[in-house]
């Protein structure tokens, strides 16, 4: 994973953009209106996300349409998988412990 990826994800405004892009493709102006950002601010955040490989852009007439780059998100998911397993194992152990305690009390 690159530093650019983590730098892009650390900003809450960019995460808000990604949350919307998760739903469907958006034009810059639509994103700006939905998020209450200025268009230049939205474009700046989209450029950072694009440079990190998290979003793709295509041109439709005069508009630039942005979508999430599923390949890059898959890379991120693959990197997080071992940590998710660690967390899930601990939650499973906690669940088993609580079940055991409940059985002891009955």
């Amino acid at each position: 994973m690159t530093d650019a990826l983590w730098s892009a994800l650390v900003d809450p405004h960019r995460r808000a953009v990604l949350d919307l892009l998760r739903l469907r493709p958006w034009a810059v102006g639509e994103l700006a209106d939905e998020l209450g950002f200025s268009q230049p601010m939205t474009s700046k955040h989209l450029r950072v996300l694009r440079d990190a490989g998290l979003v793709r852009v295509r041109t439709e007439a005069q508009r630039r349409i942005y979508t999430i780059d599923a390949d890059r998100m898959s890379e991120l998911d693959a990197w997080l998988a071992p940590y998710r397993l660690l967390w899930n194992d601990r939650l499973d152990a906690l669940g088993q412990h609580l079940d055991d305690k409940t059985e002891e009390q009955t």
Side-chain angles (χ1 to χ4, degrees), residues 2-15 17-18 21 28 31 39-57 64 66-67 69 72-73:
T2 65
D3 288 343
L5 175 73
W6 298 115
S7 294
L9 292 173
V10 74
D11 186 281
H13 295 103
R14 289 191 282 272
R15 290 194 309 269
V17 170
L18 287 173
L21 291 174
V28 178
L31 285 167
Q39 193 153 342
M41 179 182 172
T42 304
S43 294
K44 175 186 165 196
H45 288 304
L46 286 166
R47 184 177 350 101
V48 172
L49 292 168
R50 189 180 68 234
D51 290 347
L54 292 166
V55 299
R56 294 180 182 179
V57 61
R64 298 177 63 113
Y66 286 84
T67 58
D69 186 328
R72 187 68 162 158
M73 287 296 187

Side-chain angles (χ1 to χ4, degrees), residues 60-79:
E60 285 183 4
Q62 305 292 321
R63 299 175 357 140
R64 298 177 63 113
I65 308 297
Y66 286 84
T67 58
I68 285 184
D69 186 328
D71 294 338
R72 187 68 162 158
M73 287 296 187
S74 293
E75 288 178 39
L76 179 60
D77 184 58
W79 188 88

Side-chain angles (χ1 to χ4, degrees), residues 2 22 31 33 38 51 59 63 75 78 82 89 93 99-100:
T2 65
R22 189 172 41 88
L31 285 167
D33 290 345
S38 69
D51 290 347
T59 304
R63 299 175 357 140
E75 288 178 39
D89 288 347
D99 289 345
D100 292 347

Side-chain angles (χ1 to χ4, degrees), residues 73-74 76-91:
M73 287 296 187
S74 293
L76 179 60
D77 184 58
W79 188 88
L80 290 169
Y83 298 97
R84 191 177 307 110
L85 288 174
L86 175 67
W87 186 249
N88 287 340
D89 288 347
R90 290 184 178 182
L91 285 175

